[in-house]
Amino acid sequence: LTRKTTLDLGYRYLNLGKAVTDDTYTGKQDSGAGLVSMGGSTDIDSMALTAHQAKIGLRHSLARDENREYRLGDSFQFESSYGLGYGDYDLEWSVSDFDNDPKDKSTMRFEDMDSLTFLGDWQLNYNKLIIDGKARFAWILDGDYRAASEDASASVVQLEGVANDDYIYSGSVGFGYEILTDANTSSALAFRPMVGVGISEQKFRMGDSEYLSGPEAGTEAPLNSTYESRWLSAWLGGEAELVGLDYRFTLRGEFHQASYDAKAQWAHDLTLQQPNSFTHKADKAQGVRLMGRAERDIGNAGRLFMSMEYDSWRAYNGSDTNAPLTSGQSGTLNQVNLDGYSLGAGLVFAL
């Protein structure tokens, strides 16, 4: 990228009690962007505004080359950001048709899974071609679970307990192309259509619980069991970004076509195999991910960012396979729902 910037400064003579006799400020840049020309004669009152406008124009024209939104011709830009945040997630699944009896039903819900979230983002831009990577790791601090089962005799057993000390992880790689849709001397708007692949995993650990109904109502149940789930997806999405002299606002949306599988270790049920007591699988799954982000320049240290993300995933009409010690049993995985959000903040670094 070849850029030439020329500033032609006039002179200013100021004598107390007299008006300015001549005051010019002109700027010219032949890179095709930013400040093209400005100048003329002015009085004392308008001089500050004129100089300020010239400064804005020059800073913006430099930003066109230094920031990834304003590359002209061949260029290379790499940015990375890291942060911490808070997340809250819920996961629920339901199954039926154990032993070919449609009256057999079972549901489980993990709710209010509060977590400490670590965020990492990387983006490589070469000549407006984008390679984008994101990673999220949430360490679950506290949460609850509720389970209910109903057999052919309409007998219902319910229990609840504490779920914590495990994790939620997600990662994705995206590819896109940057389109600069609008630019002026103080801001610009860019849009990036994107495609990619992703993975999202959850591992929930169930601690001590208490039966709420059924023959053992009021008694404790030391479950010490785990449920691990995974979503593999291909996604289509887009990103819009508004960039100013010292700020950025970004909105991003992704639609995921996914598959779902899970396995559980039901350590409290000695009639099931260990560690894989049953499995879930569904090829019909979708997910939506929405992200918003605000950034502010803080000098040579980089940029400070704040972000919010929302996830909603669904799986339907899958299989549920039990693994008893004697022989396997199959059922239907009716539905899986995963919803969550996270709030984060951190720093952006650019090369």
Side-chain angles (χ1 to χ4, degrees):
L1 174 64
T2 301
R3 175 171 56 87
K4 180 180 178 182
T5 301
T6 303
L7 279 178
D8 297 323
L9 298 178
Y11 67 91
R12 178 178 180 180
Y13 172 77
L14 179 62
N15 188 359
L16 293 178
K18 295 183 179 181
V20 175
T21 59
D22 193 3
D23 192 352
T24 62
Y25 194 111
T26 62
K28 179 180 180 182
Q29 179 183 351
D30 56 6
S31 64
L35 177 64
V36 177
S37 65
M38 61 192 316
S41 298
T42 181
D43 57 19
I44 294 177
D45 293 335
S46 63
M47 176 60 190
L49 177 60
T50 304
H52 180 66
Q53 290 174 338
K55 183 180 179 182
I56 289 178
L58 178 61
R59 287 182 58 194
H60 183 66
S61 64
L62 294 176
R64 284 178 175 267
D65 289 331
E66 296 171 353
N67 293 322
R68 55 191 168 91
E69 284 70 26
Y70 302 99
R71 281 174 296 278
L72 301 174
D74 292 339
S75 59
F76 171 90
Q77 180 76 27
F78 177 77
E79 290 190 349
S80 61
S81 62
Y82 308 92
L84 293 174
Y86 164 82
D88 183 87
Y89 300 89
D90 299 329
L91 184 142
E92 181 179 18
W93 54 260
S94 65
V95 297
S96 62
D97 196 22
F98 293 116
D99 300 326
N100 296 319
D101 190 335
K103 294 182 180 180
D104 285 338
K105 299 178 182 179
S106 180
T107 62
M108 174 159 281
R109 178 177 177 85
F110 300 91
E111 57 187 6
D112 298 328
M113 307 297 283
D114 300 329
S115 62
L116 174 64
T117 304
F118 302 86
L119 305 92
D121 295 84
W122 304 269
Q123 188 170 90
L124 172 66
N125 188 317
Y126 179 75
N127 199 23
K128 299 187 179 181
L129 297 177
I130 305 291
I131 301 177
D132 179 277
K134 295 184 180 298
R136 304 289 184 265
F137 183 86
W139 176 35
I140 298 173
L141 303 175
D142 188 29
D144 301 301
Y145 67 90
R146 298 175 182 271
S149 61
E150 181 179 354
D151 58 24
S153 63
S155 175
V156 178
V157 177
Q158 292 180 309
L159 59 86
E160 66 177 5
V162 177
N164 56 21
D165 198 25
D166 257 305
Y167 67 86
I168 298 172
Y169 164 80
S170 67
S172 71
V173 177
F175 305 88
Y177 183 78
E178 185 175 82
I179 302 171
L180 186 65
T181 58
D182 183 36
N184 55 54
T185 58
S186 61
S187 64
L189 178 64
F191 176 71
R192 306 179 188 96
M194 303 187 72
V195 297
V197 294
I199 182 173
S200 179
E201 296 185 351
Q202 302 82 39
K203 182 177 181 181
F204 300 139
R205 183 179 303 276
M206 292 159 282
D208 293 343
S209 63
E210 179 181 354
Y211 284 102
L212 302 179
S213 62
E216 300 177 283
T219 63
E220 295 184 352
L223 294 190
N224 191 28
S225 300
T226 60
Y227 184 80
E228 301 178 56
S229 58
R230 180 176 61 181
W231 312 73
L232 296 175
S233 65
W235 57 267
L236 176 67
E239 187 174 84
E241 188 169 48
L242 176 65
V243 182
L245 295 178
D246 54 6
Y247 65 86
R248 302 185 186 197
F249 296 103
T250 306
L251 293 177
R252 177 166 172 163
E254 300 172 2
F255 175 77
H256 294 247
Q257 190 67 37
S259 63
Y260 176 83
D261 64 86
K263 63 180 181 179
Q265 180 183 12
W266 247 224
H268 62 286
D269 192 341
L270 300 181
T271 66
L272 298 175
Q273 295 181 13
Q274 308 296 330
N276 296 329
S277 304
F278 64 85
T279 60
H280 291 161
K281 184 176 178 61
D283 294 327
K284 296 180 179 180
Q286 293 86 36
V288 173
R289 178 169 292 162
L290 302 176
M291 290 168 274
R293 181 162 164 148
E295 301 179 11
R296 177 80 176 186
D297 285 345
I298 54 174
N300 294 331
R303 301 192 302 273
L304 178 68
F305 78 84
M306 299 183 65
S307 65
M308 180 175 182
E309 301 181 5
Y310 171 75
D311 283 88
S312 182
W313 297 78
R314 301 290 184 266
Y316 307 91
N317 301 327
S319 63
D320 168 51
T321 304
N322 277 351
L325 295 176
T326 54
S327 60
Q329 298 173 310
S330 295
T332 300
L333 177 64
N334 298 324
Q335 186 169 348
V336 182
N337 301 326
L338 172 65
D339 296 284
Y341 72 90
S342 65
L343 304 173
L347 287 174
V348 182
F349 305 93
L351 296 180

